[in-house]
Amino acid sequence: MENRNEDSVQNGRRLARSDSHDSQTASEFINSQLQLEADAREALPYAFDHCTQPLGPLRQNVFSCLTCNPPPKSTSDPYTSAGVCYSCSIACHGEHELVELFNKRNFTCDCGTTRLPATSPCTLRLDPVTGIKGPVHSQPAAEGNTYNQNFKNRFCGCEELYDPHTEKGTMFQCFGLAGESEGGCGEDWWHPECIIGHGRTRLRAKKTEPLPESTHESLGNGSEPTPNQDEEEEDPGEEELPPGFPAEDDFETFVCYKCVDANPWIKRYASSTGFLPPVLKSEEKTSNDRSEIGDNRSGNETTGTAVTHQETMHDASLDKTDPGTKTITTPPDNSLKRRAEDDEDSHDPTQSKKAKTETNQNCYYKSLLEPGDETFSLFLKEDFRDHFCRCANCYPNLRKHPQLLEEEESYEPPLSEEEENGRGSVGTGSLLDRGEAALNNVDRVRAIEGVMVYNHLKDKVKSFLQPFAESGQAVGAEDIKAYFEKLRGDEQGIQSAAMAGSGSGNEDNRREQSANMAHLRIRACLLSAAFLAPVTVALGSTSYNGLAKTPPMGWDNWNAYGCDIDADVLLETAEKMVDFGLRDLGYKYVILDDCWQNMQRSPNSSLIANATKFPDGIKAVSDQIHNMGLMFGMYSSAGMYTCAQYPASLGHETINAQTFADWGIDYLKYDNCYNQGQEGTSKLSFDRYNAMSQALNKTGRPIHYGMCNWGKDYPWNWAQPMANSWRMSGDVYDSFDRPDDRCPCTTYDCELPGFHCSIMNIIGKVAPIVDKGQPGAWNDLDALEVGNGGMTDDEYKAHFSMWAMIKSPLIMGTNIPKMTASTYSILANPAVIAISQDSAGTPAVRVWNRKADVDEYDQGSISLWVMALSGGDYAIALLNAGAKELQLNATLEEIFIDKATTAGGATRGPLPSSKGWDIYDLWANRMDDTMASSILQGNATMTGSMMNTTNSTMLYNATETPYADGVKQNNTALLGVKTSSVDAMGTIQATVPRHGIAMYRLRAQAGASMSKRDEL
């Protein structure tokens, strides 16, 4: 069984070593503990307080727990494999026997699932029912995980049990092109001698042979090696690779013969540019067109030099050949290691990377030699990805294995607090640091007990602080002092936590892991320090990141410009948003949509801006937009590519999020194209989108996270804890109610959201789920189409009004510098915007929806929508989606139907319908075209932030006076025009044009009156 501190992995090579433990003096022990702390920080520098399960499938370090799932005695016996992440290996299985498997691809942590006993729950995951962290067990396991023999502590083709105390030398991890069920190895670790077919028995036999005389001479005067010299000889870094095995510097990774046989198409690449010659198994016979090779070593190194298909394959010297080794080589070269650029220069230009990516007529793969029948492993050079043929016939083979197309990003847990702060106990003198140093002398079990006690206290402190957070009351020193005095009496709970940490108390079953012990001691000290640190309580925020307490407002370029976007368009639009007073109405975000990227990533896999469109870079544009008092947003996709087929962010969340933060973005629109099939269940989508959410949070920059997954997998049920908005439908287009086969769904629970969805299609789909929107987390109905030319003025008014009523983000999508006066007067209506930005954060509810005369698209309906506002006001909308102008009625009883009874059916009192209400028309103060044109042309007396809004009925500056304050001040621009009143139990009646809307604010009168009908 391996200990964490006994193995390391470097570049896919597994190095084994064992440590000796001698007796120590007290002074030596103290010094060793301090050194152990430093070693632990280097070996285990990461925090272990979060399970990676919510992040979904990752390439990450995986551990198999043999205590929870003991391996079978026979390899043929049934076995349930399970793997846990780094954090769970310490926090949940720190007392158990573990096998470290190092990086596994697309793996989701199994801790807390049915693959592990319920007696070993996950203490780091959130309970899906209660939302409380741990203990969680018996949850469904991830469906996408694959397992191999490594989880049973067996490795390599020899299927040996791995023992770190006896294992010597280097093992190599296969690139993993097939799982065990497909005939491959599933990223197994291989002994070099097993790769070439020598076998472990033969290697051990060779180690018992006497050393050559020259070796004895090198040890000193022909004498036998001393014990110290033996240790040096066994050092894994000096372990001699078997004859016929390539030198480690000559290859980046390798594909074992099992995975090669499972993907026979890759055999042709052997000996071509970017690949070493095939390394055959010793028992194989070579074909006539393959040459045997000798041991072309300089000293103890194998050349491993690849032959290109433009060079002649021929026999090489066999004078040093191991008789069982077969491979292919080139004539002797002055350089042991061929450089990638040398290979590029040596082959025909028609086989360059560019040629390989073109059409079938230029298929590079066809020029490669047909492989023989040999079984061999394939070794890949550092630049191998540049030399695959990407023609239409060959690309599907590569697409099945993304690791062949792009370098993978391995997940790393966040650094532990002491690592981030660079703090430690060695050589420091503060009380905390001395206490930390003393804590290093606590044995591992007691350290874990301390962590358990801390977790017990932490939960109690949370409950103590909760009333302060809810009431807004400040936490005083006396409150804290009194609480801790009371807490000291809770000895039973603390003892229970300690017992939970020590398990059954049978210390004979505990496995001492020195690196873990040191890290737990360090961590326990930091937890104690965090426990005593000042506490900050966030008040009055339901948003997961404190943003979007009202729906965001801004502009996105896609509806008006598509891919025809550059820095000039963005900056001109931003300037006009300021000049036209849109910024001061609340339109803060300027969002750059798709097509801003370069087709290639940077060397560190981050995204790069198109240098032609953004010659000064994104950061320069961001800075200029910020200098205008606006905020900057950008676009990416939770897929391999964006919808316009540019590089996206799936698998690159961390580096891309940091790039966005470095550029100063304030809003991320995150699309759903090319998602590699990672959808179909809520969990799949949650995990994929949560990966970017977590990455954005880790940057420390406040960034509005707008999910654009088109309503797939019902995001309104799971996105609130990690996003500020989510698209609930396919893409909108500039039509009021025209059906389109490309948007086939008419209900929210559809499987094919599509695109080209009309305004009424989206409104119909959102109606049953409006209540899912809340401050900090909103249903997003897509960007506004107002002003793009496909609808009438009445239709645009209805479109804008309903987006405001439903609390969708108000993201303009028109050409701002060229907008018309009528477009401006719709988008700049402060009375309607005040409904959107009302602090109550309650979306409108559709009270009734009735059929009406159908229009030319066979569509027709009328509906009543009601929204509760702050301060006791209400907003209502009467929407006429029928074929002609109609008189629409809404009784107060209908408007306040939700107030009539409680959930149990008991009556409330007094009812809002029992009193009179003043009615304010929210479109009566709409700006006329003359004034709108004057503002757009810059001819108004004052424009932009200097616009005089005092006592104006149609202009408003929310930068100076927030909407909530303006409503309290009865600002006429926000209240609309009082047109009538309705008495108790009365009816509101309005004339509503075809495809139009009537929208009102209701404000309660001081007293009630007789019921009567009022016409508006």
Side-chain angles (χ1 to χ4, degrees):
M1 195 60 51
E2 80 182 53
N3 288 344
R4 294 175 192 273
N5 65 319
E6 292 174 330
D7 279 24
S8 63
V9 62
Q10 298 175 357
N11 299 327
R13 289 105 161 115
R14 183 176 189 150
L15 309 178
R17 64 178 183 271
S18 60
D19 300 321
S20 61
H21 301 281
D22 299 322
S23 60
Q24 296 175 304
T25 66
S27 176
E28 289 172 337
F29 176 76
I30 291 172
N31 290 333
S32 69
Q33 287 292 299
L34 293 176
Q35 183 58 48
L36 193 58
E37 174 187 336
D39 291 343
R41 282 183 179 159
E42 181 177 355
L44 298 170
Y46 303 111
F48 50 91
D49 47 7
H50 292 285
C51 174
T52 61
Q53 184 273 340
L55 302 180
L58 303 169
R59 182 165 182 80
Q60 61 176 313
N61 270 12
V62 176
F63 299 78
S64 177
C65 181
L66 302 186
T67 301
C68 294
N69 289 3
K73 294 182 179 179
S74 170
T75 56
S76 60
D77 291 342
Y79 180 71
T80 301
S81 298
V84 301
C85 66
Y86 167 87
S87 293
C88 290
S89 73
I90 298 174
C92 310
H93 302 268
E95 292 293 296
H96 299 172
E97 290 187 330
L98 299 170
V99 184
E100 185 170 9
L101 311 182
F102 297 102
N103 275 333
K104 289 292 183 182
R105 182 178 297 118
N106 296 331
F107 197 89
T108 303
C109 181
D110 285 323
C111 195
T113 71
T114 52
R115 286 190 165 270
L116 289 163
T119 52
S120 294
C122 181
T123 62
L124 301 180
R125 290 175 59 177
L126 296 179
D127 188 296
V129 177
T130 66
I132 299 173
K133 181 180 285 190
V136 175
H137 62 82
S138 306
Q139 293 297 307
E143 298 178 356
N145 285 352
T146 57
Y147 306 88
N148 64 3
Q149 64 172 349
N150 297 167
F151 292 84
K152 307 174 189 178
N153 197 31
R154 293 187 180 274
F155 294 84
C156 186
C158 65
E159 300 183 359
E160 280 193 351
L161 287 170
Y162 185 81
D163 184 352
H165 298 287
T166 60
E167 189 70 40
K168 305 296 177 186
T170 303
M171 297 180 73
F172 297 85
Q173 187 178 29
C174 175
F175 207 37
L177 298 188
E180 286 186 346
S181 62
E182 304 165 304
C185 74
E187 294 185 282
D188 204 347
W189 290 85
W190 290 76
H191 302 109
E193 58 271 17
C194 295
I195 294 173
I196 63 176
H198 282 187
R200 300 287 280 166
T201 303
R202 177 173 177 177
L203 177 72
R204 294 191 185 100
K206 287 184 68 176
K207 287 186 176 180
T208 63
E209 298 174 3
L211 291 170
E213 184 178 348
S214 60
T215 304
H216 289 294
E217 290 175 357
S218 68
L219 296 174
N221 299 325
S223 61
E224 292 298 319
T226 66
N228 288 340
Q229 289 166 333
D230 268 341
E231 289 181 10
E232 293 178 4
E233 191 68 27
E234 292 181 358
D235 185 281
E238 301 295 329
E239 184 77 13
E240 180 180 350
L241 294 171
F245 194 88
E248 292 187 43
D249 290 342
D250 283 357
F251 65 95
E252 176 75 10
T253 186
F254 90 104
V255 182
C256 75
Y257 55 80
K258 289 184 179 181
C259 290
V260 169
D261 286 346
N263 294 273
W265 60 270
I266 204 172
K267 287 188 172 184
R268 276 203 185 190
Y269 286 102
S271 300
S272 67
T273 304
F275 304 83
L276 296 187
V279 176
L280 310 183
K281 291 183 64 178
S282 60
E283 66 270 21
E284 298 290 344
K285 303 296 183 182
T286 57
S287 304
N288 293 334
D289 62 340
R290 302 285 184 182
S291 302
E292 297 184 356
I293 94 156
D295 186 1
N296 295 321
R297 298 187 178 205
S298 173
N300 289 327
E301 293 183 316
T302 305
T303 64
T305 305
V307 61
T308 65
H309 285 269
Q310 286 69 43
E311 296 171 320
T312 304
M313 295 185 180
H314 66 283
D315 292 341
S317 171
L318 302 177
D319 51 345
K320 289 187 180 181
T321 304
D322 185 293
T325 303
K326 311 287 189 293
T327 188
I328 302 172
T329 188
T330 61
D333 195 307
N334 292 331
S335 170
L336 181 65
K337 180 179 179 182
R338 293 283 301 278
R339 296 183 178 272
E341 53 266 31
D342 296 337
D343 292 333
E344 291 285 351
D345 294 339
S346 64
H347 69 270
D348 191 283
T350 62
Q351 295 172 357
S352 66
K353 180 178 178 182
K354 180 178 179 181
K356 295 170 199 173
T357 60
E358 292 182 353
T359 62
N360 292 337
Q361 287 76 12
N362 294 329
C363 179
Y364 167 68
Y365 184 79
K366 292 181 179 179
S367 69
L368 304 179
L369 294 181
E370 282 280 358
D373 297 329
E374 308 93 334
T375 298
F376 63 84
S377 298
L378 183 61
F379 286 74
L380 289 62
K381 294 185 177 182
E382 185 176 2
D383 63 342
F384 71 91
R385 292 183 179 88
D386 296 340
H387 303 289
F388 282 117
C389 180
R390 288 174 167 80
C391 72
N393 286 336
C394 296
Y395 188 75
N397 287 329
L398 299 176
R399 189 169 53 191
K400 297 175 184 176
H401 310 285
Q403 66 268 35
L404 294 178
L405 293 169
E406 186 172 30
E407 187 173 353
E408 297 173 289
E409 183 177 348
S410 295
Y411 170 80
E412 287 190 359
L415 292 174
S416 60
E417 294 173 19
E418 69 274 10
E419 189 71 17
E420 290 174 342
N421 298 331
R423 295 167 55 188
S425 62
V426 181
T428 60
S430 71
L431 181 62
L432 174 62
D433 292 335
R434 291 202 302 271
E436 183 178 331
L439 190 58
N440 274 293
N441 293 326
V442 179
D443 109 308
R444 179 174 188 266
V445 176
R446 290 186 62 197
I448 293 180
E449 290 174 358
V451 174
M452 298 300 180
V453 171
Y454 163 75
N455 287 330
H456 173 77
L457 295 178
K458 179 182 66 175
D459 292 338
K460 287 184 171 292
V461 171
K462 180 180 178 181
S463 63
F464 160 65
L465 292 174
Q466 187 67 32
F468 292 94
E470 292 175 352
S471 66
Q473 180 183 354
V475 185
E478 291 301 319
D479 298 315
I480 296 174
K481 181 180 178 181
Y483 176 74
F484 277 96
E485 287 176 351
K486 178 182 177 181
L487 193 64
R488 288 193 188 100
D490 188 21
E491 295 180 1
Q492 182 178 355
I494 294 174
Q495 289 175 359
S496 298
M499 288 296 292
S502 58
S504 64
N506 183 2
E507 295 192 15
D508 293 336
N509 293 330
R510 296 170 182 161
R511 181 167 185 82
E512 194 68 17
Q513 297 181 344
S514 57
N516 282 359
M517 177 178 65
H519 193 71
L520 281 170
R521 291 171 184 166
I522 297 167
R523 191 66 182 160
C525 176
L526 265 293
L527 291 174
S528 300
F531 186 67
L532 296 174
V535 178
T536 301
V537 181
L539 303 175
S541 172
T542 57
S543 170
Y544 89 104
N545 58 3
L547 302 177
K549 295 179 182 179
T550 59
M553 299 174 61
W555 173 84
D556 181 291
N557 67 272
W558 186 257
N559 287 356
Y561 293 91
C563 279
D564 190 16
I565 188 69
D566 56 26
D568 291 340
V569 171
L570 286 180
L571 294 175
E572 181 187 14
T573 300
E575 290 171 357
K576 294 302 182 183
M577 287 172 66
V578 175
D579 292 343
F580 297 165
L582 294 170
R583 178 197 64 185
D584 293 323
L585 279 166
Y587 294 101
K588 299 290 188 183
Y589 291 103
V590 177
I591 303 169
L592 170 60
D593 213 290
D594 204 351
C595 306
W596 59 265
Q597 311 91 326
N598 193 310
M599 281 296 186
Q600 303 297 325
R601 298 180 186 271
S602 73
N604 70 348
S605 296
S606 62
L607 297 174
I608 307 173
N610 183 304
T612 302
K613 295 180 177 181
F614 301 93
D616 298 323
I618 297 295
K619 184 65 165 61
V621 174
S622 173
D623 288 345
Q624 292 180 70
I625 288 174
H626 287 148
N627 290 338
M628 299 180 202
L630 294 163
M631 306 181 84
F632 180 55
M634 292 189 70
Y635 165 99
S636 190
S637 179
M640 293 295 292
Y641 305 100
T642 68
C643 297
Q645 300 184 354
Y646 288 86
S649 294
L650 183 62
H652 299 273
E653 290 87 354
T654 300
I655 185 67
N656 287 354
Q658 190 58 56
T659 299
F660 295 145
D662 292 342
W663 286 343
I665 80 159
D666 308 293
Y667 187 116
L668 178 65
K669 175 182 175 181
Y670 202 46
D671 219 328
N672 193 33
C673 288
Y674 300 99
N675 59 30
Q676 305 298 293
Q678 295 183 37
E679 64 178 15
T681 68
S682 294
K683 183 180 184 304
L684 283 173
S685 287
F686 175 90
D687 291 345
R688 183 162 49 92
Y689 278 91
N690 192 45
M692 178 55 81
S693 176
Q694 296 295 321
L696 292 173
N697 289 345
K698 288 174 185 176
T699 68
R701 181 176 180 82
I703 298 174
H704 176 108
Y705 184 34
M707 288 172 40
C708 181
N709 78 327
W710 323 320
K712 291 287 288 184
D713 298 330
Y714 317 121
W716 46 84
N717 288 331
W718 46 261
Q720 290 91 341
M722 55 94 164
N724 298 115
S725 60
W726 54 85
R727 281 276 302 282
M728 44 62 58
S729 167
D731 291 355
V732 70
Y733 90 118
D734 195 10
S735 172
F736 186 73
D737 68 348
R738 175 184 173 273
D740 193 304
D741 286 344
R742 289 165 290 185
C743 181
C745 297
T746 57
T747 60
Y748 73 94
D749 55 344
C750 64
E751 295 298 326
L752 187 62
F755 58 102
H756 264 226
C757 300
S758 71
I759 302 304
M760 288 305 300
N761 175 280
I762 293 174
I763 291 173
K765 285 188 287 194
V766 78
I769 58 170
V770 289
D771 60 313
K772 301 294 185 178
Q774 61 188 34
W778 305 104
N779 282 305
D780 183 354
L781 280 59
D782 206 354
L784 294 162
E785 289 282 5
V786 177
N788 288 332
M791 290 185 263
T792 66
D793 188 75
D794 284 330
E795 290 170 341
Y796 279 139
K797 281 175 55 180
H799 168 26
F800 184 68
S801 299
M802 290 307 302
W803 260 231
M805 288 286 288
I806 296 168
K807 295 282 189 178
S808 173
L810 296 181
I811 307 297
M812 299 179 293
T814 193
N815 185 325
I816 299 296
K818 296 182 179 179
M819 70 164 56
T820 64
S822 61
T823 296
Y824 178 77
S825 63
I826 292 175
L827 295 173
N829 184 339
V832 174
I833 296 174
I835 301 300
S836 163
Q837 300 298 296
D838 185 80
S839 59
T842 306
V845 174
R846 187 169 66 181
V847 176
W848 49 255
N849 185 45
R850 300 165 183 166
K851 292 182 180 179
D853 291 342
V854 298
D855 60 15
E856 64 271 29
Y857 300 122
D858 200 28
Q859 306 294 307
S861 66
I862 56 175
S863 56
L864 168 65
W865 297 75
V866 178
M867 173 197 291
L869 300 173
S870 60
D873 289 358
Y874 283 81
I876 70 167
L878 288 162
L879 177 61
N880 177 14
K884 60 185 180 181
E885 179 180 281
L886 293 172
Q887 295 285 328
L888 300 184
N889 301 325
T891 68
L892 291 185
E893 191 173 12
E894 291 171 331
I895 292 170
F896 299 118
I897 190 170
D898 286 346
K899 300 292 183 180
T901 59
T902 64
T907 59
R908 303 177 190 266
L911 299 179
S913 55
S914 65
K915 58 185 176 182
W917 294 81
D918 292 330
I919 303 171
Y920 294 81
D921 188 333
L922 300 181
W923 281 103
N925 270 342
R926 178 183 177 182
M927 186 184 304
D928 59 60
D929 285 352
T930 301
M931 183 170 186
S933 297
S934 180
I935 292 173
L936 295 177
Q937 295 167 12
N939 296 328
T941 304
M942 288 178 285
T943 60
S945 61
M946 298 301 294
M947 186 179 295
N948 182 4
T949 60
T950 304
N951 297 321
S952 172
T953 60
M954 59 190 71
L955 299 174
Y956 192 75
N957 188 329
T959 302
E960 294 177 352
T961 309
Y963 285 101
D965 294 340
V967 171
K968 291 177 182 177
Q969 297 167 8
N970 297 321
N971 188 294
T972 54
L974 304 185
L975 296 184
V977 176
K978 181 180 175 181
T979 57
S980 183
S981 298
V982 59
D983 287 339
M985 305 303 294
T987 298
I988 297 175
Q989 186 179 77
T991 301
V992 187
R994 173 189 190 270
H995 291 184
I997 198 167
M999 188 176 181
Y1000 306 106
R1001 176 186 287 265
L1002 305 185
R1003 176 163 286 187
Q1005 295 176 338
S1009 61
M1010 294 293 293
S1011 173
K1012 68 176 183 178
R1013 179 183 302 270
D1014 275 15
E1015 183 173 338
L1016 301 176

